[in-house]
Amino acid sequence: VTVVMVNNMNFAMTGGQVAPTTPEESKTMTTPYGSGEPRFDVCELAIAAGARLAIGMRLHCLIYAAAAGVPVIGLSYDPKIDALMKCLEQPYVYDAASVTADVLEEAVGQVLAAEASVRRAVSDAAVVMRERCREDVAAAAAMLAMRR
């Protein structure tokens, strides 16, 4: 099964109603004070269901996929996407404003042709990133402890 989803996070065709993917703090025509309901993350669902590949423009989609060892292709609209892909040592990052379907199709083919090695590389890089995160948390906790 191939899922291609463009998620604008609301039901725009019906006047901007809140949708299951609308972030809680977002205001729509039907929720002028925000939704109050937790957002459903489709990327997390796909990864949990065993996705072989994630193509993401949102940082958290790419982080969740990498943490699960799922190969990723980044569509960059912000330097944070480029930085994450660099940390993951993945060359598959393209400018979201100018990438073409042909370029993405070629990238998907390359990733899936080398799926095992890409999956291993992403998993290994995610382990390193987790350790860096633990070190950052420990350093922040130590700084806060000194202030007491």
mmCIF file with all atom_site columns, all heavy atoms in Angstrom, residues 103-118:
data_model
loop_
_atom_site.group_PDB
_atom_site.id
_atom_site.type_symbol
_atom_site.label_atom_id
_atom_site.label_alt_id
_atom_site.label_comp_id
_atom_site.label_asym_id
_atom_site.label_entity_id
_atom_site.label_seq_id
_atom_site.pdbx_PDB_ins_code
_atom_site.Cartn_x
_atom_site.Cartn_y
_atom_site.Cartn_z
_atom_site.occupancy
_atom_site.B_iso_or_equiv
_atom_site.pdbx_formal_charge
_atom_site.auth_seq_id
_atom_site.auth_comp_id
_atom_site.auth_asym_id
_atom_site.auth_atom_id
_atom_site.pdbx_PDB_model_num
ATOM 1   N N   . VAL A 1 103 ? 12.376 13.915 -9.569  1.00 0.00 ? 103 VAL A N   1
ATOM 2   C CA  . VAL A 1 103 ? 13.484 13.861 -8.607  1.00 0.00 ? 103 VAL A CA  1
ATOM 3   C C   . VAL A 1 103 ? 13.086 13.007 -7.410  1.00 0.00 ? 103 VAL A C   1
ATOM 4   O O   . VAL A 1 103 ? 13.851 12.158 -6.947  1.00 0.00 ? 103 VAL A O   1
ATOM 5   C CB  . VAL A 1 103 ? 13.906 15.279 -8.169  1.00 0.00 ? 103 VAL A CB  1
ATOM 6   C CG1 . VAL A 1 103 ? 14.836 15.240 -6.969  1.00 0.00 ? 103 VAL A CG1 1
ATOM 7   C CG2 . VAL A 1 103 ? 14.562 16.017 -9.334  1.00 0.00 ? 103 VAL A CG2 1
ATOM 8   N N   . LEU A 1 104 ? 11.872 13.211 -6.909  1.00 0.00 ? 104 LEU A N   1
ATOM 9   C CA  . LEU A 1 104 ? 11.411 12.404 -5.766  1.00 0.00 ? 104 LEU A CA  1
ATOM 10  C C   . LEU A 1 104 ? 11.279 10.936 -6.134  1.00 0.00 ? 104 LEU A C   1
ATOM 11  O O   . LEU A 1 104 ? 11.644 10.063 -5.352  1.00 0.00 ? 104 LEU A O   1
ATOM 12  C CB  . LEU A 1 104 ? 10.078 12.924 -5.244  1.00 0.00 ? 104 LEU A CB  1
ATOM 13  C CG  . LEU A 1 104 ? 10.147 14.073 -4.265  1.00 0.00 ? 104 LEU A CG  1
ATOM 14  C CD1 . LEU A 1 104 ? 8.755  14.486 -3.826  1.00 0.00 ? 104 LEU A CD1 1
ATOM 15  C CD2 . LEU A 1 104 ? 10.988 13.726 -3.060  1.00 0.00 ? 104 LEU A CD2 1
ATOM 16  N N   . GLU A 1 105 ? 10.770 10.662 -7.317  1.00 0.00 ? 105 GLU A N   1
ATOM 17  C CA  . GLU A 1 105 ? 10.632 9.268  -7.758  1.00 0.00 ? 105 GLU A CA  1
ATOM 18  C C   . GLU A 1 105 ? 11.994 8.588  -7.823  1.00 0.00 ? 105 GLU A C   1
ATOM 19  O O   . GLU A 1 105 ? 12.155 7.447  -7.389  1.00 0.00 ? 105 GLU A O   1
ATOM 20  C CB  . GLU A 1 105 ? 9.942  9.215  -9.116  1.00 0.00 ? 105 GLU A CB  1
ATOM 21  C CG  . GLU A 1 105 ? 9.698  7.797  -9.604  1.00 0.00 ? 105 GLU A CG  1
ATOM 22  C CD  . GLU A 1 105 ? 8.973  7.754  -10.939 1.00 0.00 ? 105 GLU A CD  1
ATOM 23  O OE1 . GLU A 1 105 ? 8.754  8.807  -11.565 1.00 0.00 ? 105 GLU A OE1 1
ATOM 24  O OE2 . GLU A 1 105 ? 8.630  6.629  -11.353 1.00 0.00 ? 105 GLU A OE2 1
ATOM 25  N N   . GLU A 1 106 ? 12.988 9.299  -8.320  1.00 0.00 ? 106 GLU A N   1
ATOM 26  C CA  . GLU A 1 106 ? 14.344 8.750  -8.382  1.00 0.00 ? 106 GLU A CA  1
ATOM 27  C C   . GLU A 1 106 ? 14.902 8.513  -6.974  1.00 0.00 ? 106 GLU A C   1
ATOM 28  O O   . GLU A 1 106 ? 15.500 7.472  -6.696  1.00 0.00 ? 106 GLU A O   1
ATOM 29  C CB  . GLU A 1 106 ? 15.263 9.691  -9.159  1.00 0.00 ? 106 GLU A CB  1
ATOM 30  C CG  . GLU A 1 106 ? 16.673 9.134  -9.328  1.00 0.00 ? 106 GLU A CG  1
ATOM 31  C CD  . GLU A 1 106 ? 17.560 10.054 -10.153 1.00 0.00 ? 106 GLU A CD  1
ATOM 32  O OE1 . GLU A 1 106 ? 17.051 10.807 -10.999 1.00 0.00 ? 106 GLU A OE1 1
ATOM 33  O OE2 . GLU A 1 106 ? 18.781 10.002 -9.928  1.00 0.00 ? 106 GLU A OE2 1
ATOM 34  N N   . ALA A 1 107 ? 14.688 9.469  -6.078  1.00 0.00 ? 107 ALA A N   1
ATOM 35  C CA  . ALA A 1 107 ? 15.161 9.327  -4.699  1.00 0.00 ? 107 ALA A CA  1
ATOM 36  C C   . ALA A 1 107 ? 14.495 8.143  -4.003  1.00 0.00 ? 107 ALA A C   1
ATOM 37  O O   . ALA A 1 107 ? 15.161 7.364  -3.316  1.00 0.00 ? 107 ALA A O   1
ATOM 38  C CB  . ALA A 1 107 ? 14.914 10.612 -3.911  1.00 0.00 ? 107 ALA A CB  1
ATOM 39  N N   . VAL A 1 108 ? 13.195 8.003  -4.180  1.00 0.00 ? 108 VAL A N   1
ATOM 40  C CA  . VAL A 1 108 ? 12.482 6.860  -3.585  1.00 0.00 ? 108 VAL A CA  1
ATOM 41  C C   . VAL A 1 108 ? 13.067 5.555  -4.109  1.00 0.00 ? 108 VAL A C   1
ATOM 42  O O   . VAL A 1 108 ? 13.320 4.622  -3.347  1.00 0.00 ? 108 VAL A O   1
ATOM 43  C CB  . VAL A 1 108 ? 10.967 6.945  -3.868  1.00 0.00 ? 108 VAL A CB  1
ATOM 44  C CG1 . VAL A 1 108 ? 10.264 5.634  -3.531  1.00 0.00 ? 108 VAL A CG1 1
ATOM 45  C CG2 . VAL A 1 108 ? 10.348 8.095  -3.089  1.00 0.00 ? 108 VAL A CG2 1
ATOM 46  N N   . GLY A 1 109 ? 13.304 5.498  -5.399  1.00 0.00 ? 109 GLY A N   1
ATOM 47  C CA  . GLY A 1 109 ? 13.900 4.294  -5.991  1.00 0.00 ? 109 GLY A CA  1
ATOM 48  C C   . GLY A 1 109 ? 15.268 3.980  -5.398  1.00 0.00 ? 109 GLY A C   1
ATOM 49  O O   . GLY A 1 109 ? 15.573 2.829  -5.085  1.00 0.00 ? 109 GLY A O   1
ATOM 50  N N   . GLN A 1 110 ? 16.098 5.007  -5.219  1.00 0.00 ? 110 GLN A N   1
ATOM 51  C CA  . GLN A 1 110 ? 17.429 4.815  -4.643  1.00 0.00 ? 110 GLN A CA  1
ATOM 52  C C   . GLN A 1 110 ? 17.341 4.333  -3.198  1.00 0.00 ? 110 GLN A C   1
ATOM 53  O O   . GLN A 1 110 ? 18.058 3.418  -2.797  1.00 0.00 ? 110 GLN A O   1
ATOM 54  C CB  . GLN A 1 110 ? 18.233 6.110  -4.706  1.00 0.00 ? 110 GLN A CB  1
ATOM 55  C CG  . GLN A 1 110 ? 18.649 6.516  -6.099  1.00 0.00 ? 110 GLN A CG  1
ATOM 56  C CD  . GLN A 1 110 ? 19.301 7.890  -6.125  1.00 0.00 ? 110 GLN A CD  1
ATOM 57  O OE1 . GLN A 1 110 ? 19.486 8.543  -5.105  1.00 0.00 ? 110 GLN A OE1 1
ATOM 58  N NE2 . GLN A 1 110 ? 19.638 8.349  -7.328  1.00 0.00 ? 110 GLN A NE2 1
ATOM 59  N N   . VAL A 1 111 ? 16.469 4.959  -2.432  1.00 0.00 ? 111 VAL A N   1
ATOM 60  C CA  . VAL A 1 111 ? 16.335 4.580  -1.019  1.00 0.00 ? 111 VAL A CA  1
ATOM 61  C C   . VAL A 1 111 ? 15.830 3.144  -0.897  1.00 0.00 ? 111 VAL A C   1
ATOM 62  O O   . VAL A 1 111 ? 16.379 2.347  -0.143  1.00 0.00 ? 111 VAL A O   1
ATOM 63  C CB  . VAL A 1 111 ? 15.410 5.559  -0.260  1.00 0.00 ? 111 VAL A CB  1
ATOM 64  C CG1 . VAL A 1 111 ? 15.078 5.033  1.121   1.00 0.00 ? 111 VAL A CG1 1
ATOM 65  C CG2 . VAL A 1 111 ? 16.065 6.929  -0.159  1.00 0.00 ? 111 VAL A CG2 1
ATOM 66  N N   . LEU A 1 112 ? 14.802 2.814  -1.652  1.00 0.00 ? 112 LEU A N   1
ATOM 67  C CA  . LEU A 1 112 ? 14.239 1.464  -1.542  1.00 0.00 ? 112 LEU A CA  1
ATOM 68  C C   . LEU A 1 112 ? 15.170 0.402  -2.114  1.00 0.00 ? 112 LEU A C   1
ATOM 69  O O   . LEU A 1 112 ? 15.179 -0.731 -1.627  1.00 0.00 ? 112 LEU A O   1
ATOM 70  C CB  . LEU A 1 112 ? 12.859 1.406  -2.195  1.00 0.00 ? 112 LEU A CB  1
ATOM 71  C CG  . LEU A 1 112 ? 11.775 2.240  -1.489  1.00 0.00 ? 112 LEU A CG  1
ATOM 72  C CD1 . LEU A 1 112 ? 10.448 2.124  -2.223  1.00 0.00 ? 112 LEU A CD1 1
ATOM 73  C CD2 . LEU A 1 112 ? 11.628 1.850  -0.030  1.00 0.00 ? 112 LEU A CD2 1
ATOM 74  N N   . ALA A 1 113 ? 15.987 0.759  -3.105  1.00 0.00 ? 113 ALA A N   1
ATOM 75  C CA  . ALA A 1 113 ? 16.956 -0.189 -3.652  1.00 0.00 ? 113 ALA A CA  1
ATOM 76  C C   . ALA A 1 113 ? 18.043 -0.524 -2.632  1.00 0.00 ? 113 ALA A C   1
ATOM 77  O O   . ALA A 1 113 ? 18.606 -1.619 -2.644  1.00 0.00 ? 113 ALA A O   1
ATOM 78  C CB  . ALA A 1 113 ? 17.584 0.363  -4.933  1.00 0.00 ? 113 ALA A CB  1
ATOM 79  N N   . ALA A 1 114 ? 18.325 0.425  -1.754  1.00 0.00 ? 114 ALA A N   1
ATOM 80  C CA  . ALA A 1 114 ? 19.351 0.225  -0.714  1.00 0.00 ? 114 ALA A CA  1
ATOM 81  C C   . ALA A 1 114 ? 18.711 0.255  0.665   1.00 0.00 ? 114 ALA A C   1
ATOM 82  O O   . ALA A 1 114 ? 19.331 0.677  1.635   1.00 0.00 ? 114 ALA A O   1
ATOM 83  C CB  . ALA A 1 114 ? 20.415 1.316  -0.844  1.00 0.00 ? 114 ALA A CB  1
ATOM 84  N N   . GLU A 1 115 ? 17.460 -0.201 0.759   1.00 0.00 ? 115 GLU A N   1
ATOM 85  C CA  . GLU A 1 115 ? 16.675 -0.041 1.978   1.00 0.00 ? 115 GLU A CA  1
ATOM 86  C C   . GLU A 1 115 ? 17.377 -0.548 3.229   1.00 0.00 ? 115 GLU A C   1
ATOM 87  O O   . GLU A 1 115 ? 17.405 0.133  4.254   1.00 0.00 ? 115 GLU A O   1
ATOM 88  C CB  . GLU A 1 115 ? 15.319 -0.731 1.833   1.00 0.00 ? 115 GLU A CB  1
ATOM 89  C CG  . GLU A 1 115 ? 14.429 -0.528 3.027   1.00 0.00 ? 115 GLU A CG  1
ATOM 90  C CD  . GLU A 1 115 ? 13.068 -1.172 2.864   1.00 0.00 ? 115 GLU A CD  1
ATOM 91  O OE1 . GLU A 1 115 ? 12.744 -1.676 1.773   1.00 0.00 ? 115 GLU A OE1 1
ATOM 92  O OE2 . GLU A 1 115 ? 12.320 -1.163 3.855   1.00 0.00 ? 115 GLU A OE2 1
ATOM 93  N N   . ALA A 1 116 ? 17.953 -1.732 3.172   1.00 0.00 ? 116 ALA A N   1
ATOM 94  C CA  . ALA A 1 116 ? 18.579 -2.306 4.372   1.00 0.00 ? 116 ALA A CA  1
ATOM 95  C C   . ALA A 1 116 ? 19.725 -1.428 4.865   1.00 0.00 ? 116 ALA A C   1
ATOM 96  O O   . ALA A 1 116 ? 19.820 -1.137 6.059   1.00 0.00 ? 116 ALA A O   1
ATOM 97  C CB  . ALA A 1 116 ? 19.059 -3.722 4.102   1.00 0.00 ? 116 ALA A CB  1
ATOM 98  N N   . SER A 1 117 ? 20.589 -0.980 3.958   1.00 0.00 ? 117 SER A N   1
ATOM 99  C CA  . SER A 1 117 ? 21.731 -0.167 4.390   1.00 0.00 ? 117 SER A CA  1
ATOM 100 C C   . SER A 1 117 ? 21.282 1.230  4.819   1.00 0.00 ? 117 SER A C   1
ATOM 101 O O   . SER A 1 117 ? 21.831 1.789  5.779   1.00 0.00 ? 117 SER A O   1
ATOM 102 C CB  . SER A 1 117 ? 22.798 -0.087 3.294   1.00 0.00 ? 117 SER A CB  1
ATOM 103 O OG  . SER A 1 117 ? 22.305 0.571  2.156   1.00 0.00 ? 117 SER A OG  1
ATOM 104 N N   . VAL A 1 118 ? 20.286 1.798  4.150   1.00 0.00 ? 118 VAL A N   1
ATOM 105 C CA  . VAL A 1 118 ? 19.781 3.117  4.551   1.00 0.00 ? 118 VAL A CA  1
ATOM 106 C C   . VAL A 1 118 ? 19.111 3.008  5.922   1.00 0.00 ? 118 VAL A C   1
ATOM 107 O O   . VAL A 1 118 ? 19.323 3.845  6.797   1.00 0.00 ? 118 VAL A O   1
ATOM 108 C CB  . VAL A 1 118 ? 18.799 3.683  3.496   1.00 0.00 ? 118 VAL A CB  1
ATOM 109 C CG1 . VAL A 1 118 ? 18.147 4.969  3.988   1.00 0.00 ? 118 VAL A CG1 1
ATOM 110 C CG2 . VAL A 1 118 ? 19.514 3.928  2.174   1.00 0.00 ? 118 VAL A CG2 1
#
